[in-house]
């Protein structure tokens, strides 16, 4: 404290913890064939904010895609479904078949390897690919690996083939163990701008639902709600079939009387109980990205108690906001989280090498997937 010797008003500048904001994770990247368009921009992928923006760049959702062998322009229809279900920000990565016809696994791999995927992309999908790709399992692995790439923290939304049976969908899920991917089944019927009823890959609808749930309810909420634009299903599932598919990590889309068509599953393809649910994996990724993005100012600050206090305050305030939003368990903040950043979290070697170590923990809220109601009656 300064030594004040005469009366007066004194101003002291004190460092404050800069607020950490939640990083949105609903921006989506679709991969697939588009119409040849010489006017299409090269270099950075353009951000699309509507189906009209996609149509202006690549053509509308009627007619065949490039190559001529794809009967319906499924990617364009998926783009329309994405925005209709609540999506707002979309990138489209064109995929061209090296040998003509419909693109295959190697074509999708080449497109991902040569493109600079924007950092803001949080969700990946290849709508329609399961209708023409000969190696569906390989395509699923490619997307899951791209989502799981170091520091990317993205999530892959996968489709089963349009004519897949429940057993075939389950086999696809069994073949892939991935914490940042989820499989949806079956395909969804929808009427396009021309009024024609078509079967479309579920990933377009589901990615839009992801964006809607994140915006309206928070990323910690399970993306399992009604599809507003669905008009039917390729394979009407019943409860008995879902009781088989759900434990095998297939997210079923079902029609319920009076409720419409719902995404009625929210499981990842991970065999680890820790990462069973889509909402948990994506929410934890958001926390980690938000903290990493919100603390760049730490890099060249003196690594001492004053800085540690500012880091604790910044991270603690961010996690406290998540608790107030209902994303964390606990009746009190100290039951929901802890943040440590002090001499006990760092060794002398850490300090000598310029490393600041912050240890944090959160108590996550899991979806109420199975709700049991116990009733009792008393007779006279």
């Amino acid at each position: 404290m300064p030594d004040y010797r005469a009366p007066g008003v004194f101003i002291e500048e004190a460092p404050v913890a800069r607020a950490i904001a939640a990083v949105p994770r609903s921006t989506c990247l679709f991969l697939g064939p588009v119409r040849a368009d010489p006017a299409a921009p090269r270099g950075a992928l353009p951000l699309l904010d509507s189906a009209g923006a996609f149509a202006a760049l690549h053509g509308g959702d009627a007619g065949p895609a490039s190559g001529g062998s794809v009967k319906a322009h499924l990617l364009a229809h998926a783009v329309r479904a994405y925005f209709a279900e609540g999506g707002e920000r979309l990138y489209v990565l064109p995929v061209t078949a090296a040998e003509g016809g419909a693109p295959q696994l190697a074509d999708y791999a080449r497109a991902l390897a040569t493109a600079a995927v924007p950092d803001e992309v949080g969700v990946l999908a290849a709508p329609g690919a399961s209708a023409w790709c000969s190696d569906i399992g390989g395509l699923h692995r490619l997307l899951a690996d791209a989502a799981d790439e170091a520091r990317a923290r993205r999530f892959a939304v996968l489709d089963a083939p349009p004519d897949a049976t429940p057993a075939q969908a389950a086999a696809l899920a069994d073949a892939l163990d991935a914490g940042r991917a989820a499989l949806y089944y079956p395909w969804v019927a929808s009427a396009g701008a021309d009024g024609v009823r078509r079967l479309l890959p579920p990933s377009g609808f589901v990615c839009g639902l992801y964006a809607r749930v994140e915006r309206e309810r928070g990323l910690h909420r399970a993306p399992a709600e009604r599809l507003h634009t669905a008009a039917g299903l390729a394979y009407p599932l019943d409860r008995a079939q879902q009781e088989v598919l759900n434990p095998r990590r297939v997210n079923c889309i079902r029609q319920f009387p009076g409720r419409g068509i719902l995404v009625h599953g929210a499981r990842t393809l991970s065999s680890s109980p820790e990462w069973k649910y889509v909402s948990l994996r994506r929410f934890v990724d958001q926390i980690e990205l938000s903290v990493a993005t919100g603390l760049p100012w730490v890099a060249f600050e003196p690594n001492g108690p004053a800085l540690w206090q500012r880091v604790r305050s910044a991270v603690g305030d961010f996690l406290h906001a998540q608790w107030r939003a209902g994303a964390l368990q606990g009746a009190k903040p100290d039951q929901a989280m802890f943040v440590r950043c002090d001499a006990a979290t760092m060794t002398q070697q850490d300090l000598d090498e310029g490393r600041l170590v912050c240890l944090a923990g959160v108590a996550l809220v899991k979806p109420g997937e199975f709700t049991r109601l116990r009733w009792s009656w008393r007779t006279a």
Side-chain angles (χ1 to χ4, degrees), residues 156-341:
V157 177
L158 311 178
D159 301 314
D163 56 352
T165 64
Q168 290 169 332
L172 283 172
D174 292 342
L176 182 60
D177 191 337
R180 290 188 171 94
L183 177 67
Y184 291 84
Y185 174 80
W187 278 40
V188 179
S190 180
D194 55 4
V196 177
R197 184 183 174 103
R198 295 181 176 86
L199 280 177
L200 302 177
S203 57
F205 298 86
V206 172
C207 289
L209 175 63
Y210 276 21
R212 188 207 319 159
V213 170
E214 178 179 347
R215 182 176 62 253
E216 297 179 355
R217 306 187 65 193
L219 203 59
H220 61 283
R221 302 281 187 170
E225 294 188 0
R226 179 173 172 263
L227 295 178
H228 296 322
T229 59
L233 297 170
Y235 196 108
L237 297 168
D238 57 27
R239 179 174 178 175
Q241 290 168 316
Q242 185 169 12
E243 287 179 344
V244 174
L245 292 174
N246 199 65
R248 295 178 71 174
R249 303 169 294 174
V250 177
N251 292 317
C252 296
I253 303 174
R254 292 178 55 194
Q255 186 159 14
F256 294 86
R259 298 173 63 193
I261 295 176
L262 281 69
V263 174
H264 207 235
R267 292 192 175 193
T268 72
L269 287 168
S270 175
S271 61
S272 170
E274 185 178 10
W275 303 119
K276 178 190 292 187
Y277 296 111
V278 173
S279 53
L280 294 189
R281 177 67 273 177
R282 297 187 68 223
F283 178 59
V284 170
D285 283 345
Q286 184 186 48
I287 289 178
E288 294 173 351
L289 278 172
S290 299
V291 172
T293 304
L295 295 179
W297 52 268
V298 170
F300 297 104
E301 294 288 326
N303 194 1
L307 177 62
W308 303 340
Q309 175 58 46
R310 293 170 65 190
V311 170
R312 288 196 300 269
S313 296
V315 177
D317 289 348
F318 173 71
L319 295 180
H320 187 267
Q322 305 309 308
W323 171 72
R324 289 178 61 86
L328 303 178
Q329 296 186 44
K332 299 177 181 179
D334 59 0
Q335 298 173 341
M337 62 192 175
F338 70 83
V339 181
R340 298 173 188 157
C341 184

Side-chain angles (χ1 to χ4, degrees), residues 39-124:
R42 304 297 178 183
L45 298 175
L47 177 64
L48 308 177
D49 59 4
S50 67
F54 175 86
L57 188 63
H58 298 298
D61 57 8
S66 62
S69 64
V70 181
K71 295 293 172 84
H73 195 172
L74 292 177
L75 177 65
H77 287 292
V79 169
R80 180 177 292 277
Y82 169 78
F83 286 110
E85 288 296 336
E88 293 183 334
R89 299 171 63 83
L90 175 69
Y91 292 94
V92 172
L93 176 58
V95 179
T96 304
E99 300 180 1
Q104 297 299 313
L105 174 60
D107 303 312
Y108 284 91
R110 183 175 60 254
L112 272 175
T114 57
V117 178
D119 291 340
E120 66 174 303
V121 169
V123 184
L124 303 171

